[in-house]
Amino acid sequence: MSVVLIAGSPGKLSRTAALVAHVENSLKSQGIETQVFNVTDFNASELLFADVAAPQIAHYRNAIAEAQAVVLATPVYQASFSGAIKLLLDLVPERGLKEKVILPLANGGSDRHLLILDYALKPVISSLGASSVLGGVYVNSRHVTLDAEKRYRIGAEGLERIDRAVSELLGLIRAAQEQPAKSLASPGYAALIGS
Ligand SMILES: Cc1cc2nc3c(=O)[nH]c(=O)nc-3n(C[C@H](O)[C@H](O)[C@H](O)COP(=O)(O)O)c2cc1C
């Protein structure tokens, strides 16, 4: 069982990356194999021009194809997801999230755009064929602050919500492992937008 985690902030010091690191640690502590793809680790030109022959991008696409679940984390930029995460999503083949469980995460400067999970990110996820999309977690910058060593720390409120979502994710991927033939499709989102 493997989970791919995607961090979509172009910032070097990033709250989004801190959220992903926390989720990765939680999953690893439960014995789940993980792979993190941070947009800052990619070659910018290969990413921008969707060079699917480039080894790093091929590796990313293979990891997604083999994963049971994907955690997608983005900062809010101009009331939507980052352009960087869209570049990574555009590399996923048609229906490439089929039969995967998806946990969307977003963080923004305030709560003004907390609905971006629903109006921006989930339609894209759904168009990639995901059948099981968790409600997701939105945190704002108050929940993720710099400590004395200039590392981002997630506050108790953010941690509680993220840990609950991770438990939900674990429950779904374990259920899928036990009953691979049975569809996990949540009637929720996919049904709602008719995909
Ligand atoms: C170009 C840009 C646009 C932003 N637009 C929004 C926005 O529309 N709404 C919001 O809540 N925060 C906005 N922010 C704030 C970021 O979402 C916030 O600082 C977030 O924590 C950045 O995540 P990161 O540290 O992973 O890069 C914006 C930041 C930048 C740099």
Side-chain angles (χ1 to χ4, degrees):
M1 187 189 311
S2 72
V3 177
V4 161
L5 300 96
I6 301 173
S9 170
K12 286 271 183 249
L13 181 62
S14 157
R15 288 186 175 89
T16 307
L19 299 179
V20 162
H22 174 74
V23 174
E24 187 194 24
N25 287 336
S26 303
L27 293 171
K28 273 183 163 166
S29 73
Q30 296 293 316
I32 307 290
E33 191 188 312
T34 58
Q35 276 201 79
V36 173
F37 293 92
N38 192 321
V39 71
T40 56
D41 296 334
F42 282 81
N43 174 296
S45 167
E46 289 171 2
L47 197 56
L48 188 58
F49 295 108
D51 184 357
V52 291
Q56 192 180 28
I57 290 181
H59 172 61
Y60 161 75
R61 284 160 53 100
N62 283 340
I64 290 186
E66 283 164 20
Q68 279 71 50
V70 178
V71 177
L72 267 176
T74 181
V76 182
Y77 278 3
Q78 322 295 27
S80 188
F81 42 71
S82 67
I85 204 159
K86 187 63 163 60
L87 289 174
L88 285 169
L89 286 169
D90 288 349
L91 289 166
V92 177
E94 205 180 331
R95 313 234 10 117
L97 298 182
K98 198 169 163 235
E99 284 162 23
K100 300 185 197 300
V101 182
I102 313 298
L103 170 58
L105 304 174
N107 88 98
S110 72
D111 283 338
R112 237 172 87 203
H113 298 118
L114 64 83
L115 289 177
I116 77 137
L117 289 174
D118 295 314
Y119 69 70
L121 198 52
K122 287 185 188 175
V124 179
I125 293 170
S126 197
S127 80
L128 288 167
S131 52
S132 186
V133 186
L134 297 180
V137 182
Y138 180 95
V139 297
N140 70 41
S141 38
R142 267 188 302 112
H143 300 126
V144 191
T145 50
L146 280 178
D147 67 12
E149 282 141 17
K150 299 245 178 289
R151 278 190 307 227
Y152 277 124
R153 297 275 170 212
I154 309 167
E157 190 187 331
L159 281 179
E160 201 227 312
R161 287 196 276 130
I162 292 165
D163 290 347
R164 210 178 319 131
V166 170
S167 298
E168 215 182 325
L169 176 70
L170 281 166
L172 283 174
I173 52 184
R174 285 189 173 133
Q177 204 179 29
E178 280 157 26
Q179 296 172 283
K182 204 170 162 187
S183 168
L184 282 171
S186 68
Y189 196 72
L192 206 72
I193 69 162
S195 63

